[in-house]
Amino acid sequence: MGLTFRFLFFLLLLPLLASAQPPSPYVIHAERLGYDPVSGQYRAMGKVRIEREGTILTADRAIYNPEANTFTGEGNVVLETGGDRMTGERIHYNMEEDTGTVEKGYIFVTESQFRLRGRRIERTGEHTYIAEGAGLTACEGDVPDWEITASRIHVTLEGYGTLQHGAFRIKGFPVLYAPWVLFPAKTQRQSGLLIPDFSLSDRYGYEHVQPLYLVLSDSSDATFYYHFMEKGRDRMGLEYRKVWSTEDRLTMRVDGLKDSRTPETEKAPDYSGDRYWFRMKQNVSFGSSAMGFVDLDLLSDPDYMDDFKDGTLGYAKSNALFQGEFGRDLDAEKERTRTNRFLLTGSGEVFRMEGEFVWEDDVRRRSLDLKDSTVQRLPQIRVSTRRQAMAWLPLYHDFEAEGTYFHRIDGERGSRMDLAPRMYAPFRMGPFSAEPSVGLRQTYWYTENPLDPDDKGLSMDDRTLYDARFDLFTEIYRVFDLERTAADKIRHSIQPRLTFEFVPHKDQDTLPDFDDLDRIGKRRLVTYSLTQSLTARFPGQDVDDRDRLPEYREFLRLKVSQSYDIDKAKEDGETAFSDAKAELSLFPADGVRLFGDISWSPEEADWNTYSAGMDLRHGSHRFYAEHRYSKDVSASMHLRGYLGLTDNVGFLWNYARNMKDDIINRQDYGIRYNRGCWQLDLIYSDDKDDRKLGFFWTLTGLGVFEHSLGEERLP
């Protein structure tokens, strides 16, 4: 049986140390250990294991030199440090500087999944290596799918590498040769060229988008885009990102081109030589209770997004970027009035205040130089209080106030102040909860109309309105025990609700008209609804002898509602009953979602609208389908998904059809081949205006490219 020796480094070197603070100790395990007083070296034989601060060296034989602080190991050498693993026949390593040399070595870096082999490999820094007779890949196997080989490689992982007499090999076969090459070797943010986007289309011919990524600082970066089009003018793009903290961040994207004039465009009234799309979002925190939000969306002309809707700079990619980073979408792709907003919010225990500047940019009117009566809010300030109890009374109250300056380039403009206190008197009636409430609304306007020849300057108007509301609701539920299922209980809940709203008639025809708040119609409306839900309880499991709380999951919700208008019932030719509506959400299993809604018209005794859809997810597979119908207006179908045919091959698609006009709005089909260390996508896209074919190749560690089909990313 072998003996195990444990040595503390500071004891071994005690006669040589003068400092009072010893370094961290080494722990050495071996079957035999000896000391040579002439050379001052320790020799370990048989199952040698040397440990210190997360670095482990194992070998058949090892020599430790305390003066040089080095180890030399031979036979089945394995060195593990910082997540990296180095193996070889012989190693000479400085454990203090974390550098060394290995003969006939092989290195695996866990974080980046890079594998480096070589006749002789030298580690000169934390992630820097020099290898002779070398090969570099992110693939497994003796003959990897792809590999960069060279007589000499100098590489800094998460940086760049150079190679001499290099070749790019596929399954060992050389397909490219270069006497000297500079290449990226990174999975984290580093400056350099990113994988380009190549495609062919009917409209633009051959297209090539080349991104250049620049790291500006630890908290900011930029990406420049050059878009070459065989049948069009070259387009340029820029993306800039800055992150100050978890809450404070900025992302900006802009792209554009300068179109050359032709006899056709010369006559077009909406022609714009400078074409662009600028979009930006920013979050700014002001202490713990105030936040600022900036949303900018500027478009040169109504047709720009139709002309450049796909690709890296297209709408789908841009919207996914902003939604992922800020949780806020861009305006819809077809929307030609783009919203630009600066919003400042602050809140306390009782009050909440919001102030915002909103500019609605009507792109069509601006580009055609038409009169623009779009209402702008410059600014709008809102103050509200949370519901509070009144002292000595069983009543509650809250308050809302709004002050807005409305600006129009052409038309009436002015200020409005709206004050709306409200009082509540909730009470119980047996199993029912009731909440009557009454509100007062006082509104003031100060307006002018420069386009009105009879305008005499500022005019003042006011309005006083009150309203009343009564809510009656309850909940009936029962809990059922289950056996032989993952859930042990199911709760069935039924929630009926009845609401009556009353607003008296008030003549408002002569008042200014900026938005819906300026025209509040009379109302005597009864709304009744019934909501049912099923919630499953999954018992907690014992984890490390500690009980875990049970998990609750609502897997079904069905709501049915309708309104009855008392005023319309007294008028000839009017229908008192509104459309009856039903909404369903069902989650029968993990990764399965079914949803739908429907409305039925009692006047026409027919379905007015309905939609139904499903969203299925299982592993890498996904299938989404939705059908929408609106009587005499539209009917559409949308399908998208990804199907893994094998572990490596998958089929992806996106299909949108206008069923009313029998037109295919868009169809995208693609094949994806994924080998782990590389991926190839072949995509065919066809919409009403253009057809495009593209292929996208990703080599792990040498560049990552994500492709979007349709309105959102595919898995």
Side-chain angles (χ1 to χ4, degrees), residues 202-203 306-307 309-310 333-334 336 654-659 661-668 684-692:
D202 290 343
R203 186 169 190 175
D306 287 335
D307 293 341
K309 56 189 172 184
D310 295 323
E333 184 177 6
K334 298 295 184 181
R336 293 303 178 255
N654 180 68
Y655 180 87
R657 186 181 187 89
N658 180 342
M659 301 177 67
D661 299 326
D662 196 22
I663 296 174
I664 298 176
N665 290 332
R666 185 178 183 91
Q667 51 185 336
D668 306 288
Y684 170 77
S685 301
D686 185 359
D687 62 22
K688 293 182 295 184
D689 303 318
D690 195 14
R691 292 180 298 172
K692 182 177 291 188

Side-chain angles (χ1 to χ4, degrees), residues 472-488:
L472 182 66
F473 53 93
T474 190
E475 181 181 17
I476 306 167
Y477 69 89
R478 182 177 177 181
V479 178
F480 299 89
D481 294 325
L482 301 178
E483 296 181 357
R484 294 187 293 275
T485 64
D488 63 348

Side-chain angles (χ1 to χ4, degrees), residues 143-333:
V143 183
D145 288 350
W146 67 265
E147 185 181 32
I148 297 174
T149 61
S151 60
R152 188 176 189 271
I153 292 180
H154 186 174
V155 59
T156 299
L157 301 179
E158 299 304 337
Y160 286 89
T162 61
L163 56 86
Q164 298 175 7
H165 299 292
F168 180 77
R169 299 174 182 267
I170 296 180
K171 282 295 185 180
F173 183 80
V175 294
L176 291 174
Y177 169 80
W180 186 88
V181 174
L182 173 70
F183 64 93
K186 54 184 182 286
T187 58
Q188 298 179 356
R189 54 198 300 270
Q190 295 284 339
S191 298
L193 294 174
L194 303 181
I195 299 297
D197 179 356
F198 301 98
S199 60
L200 293 172
S201 67
D202 290 343
R203 186 169 190 175
Y204 297 114
Y206 169 73
E207 295 181 67
H208 176 190
V209 179
Q210 178 60 66
L212 171 62
Y213 179 72
L214 298 178
V215 176
L216 305 179
S217 69
D218 291 341
S219 60
S220 64
D221 55 46
T223 305
F224 293 90
Y225 297 91
Y226 171 70
H227 183 186
F228 169 80
M229 292 173 282
E230 180 185 8
K231 299 179 182 179
R233 302 284 291 182
D234 295 349
R235 187 165 62 128
M236 307 297 290
L238 170 65
E239 177 183 318
Y240 174 76
R241 296 188 297 176
K242 174 75 174 178
V243 178
W244 291 274
S245 66
T246 305
E247 295 83 14
D248 300 77
R249 58 181 59 235
L250 177 150
T251 298
M252 179 271 291
R253 268 192 166 194
V254 60
D255 52 82
L257 72 163
K258 188 172 184 63
D259 269 354
S260 58
R261 288 187 176 272
T262 66
E264 291 77 14
T265 58
E266 189 79 40
K267 300 175 183 178
D270 58 345
Y271 171 81
S272 175
D274 295 315
R275 308 189 66 195
Y276 59 85
W277 183 26
F278 177 91
R279 53 274 196 208
M280 188 190 88
K281 293 186 184 294
Q282 182 177 3
N283 292 353
V284 183
S285 62
F286 303 95
S288 59
S289 59
M291 283 289 297
F293 306 92
V294 179
D295 297 281
L296 299 179
D297 193 335
L298 302 173
L299 195 62
S300 63
D301 58 87
D303 298 324
Y304 185 87
M305 273 198 282
D306 287 335
D307 293 341
F308 306 105
K309 56 189 172 184
D310 295 323
T312 304
L313 296 171
Y315 177 84
K317 284 281 189 179
S318 296
N319 193 51
L321 172 68
F322 288 111
Q323 174 62 36
E325 294 194 6
F326 297 91
R328 305 195 299 274
D329 289 318
L330 296 169
D331 287 337
E333 184 177 6

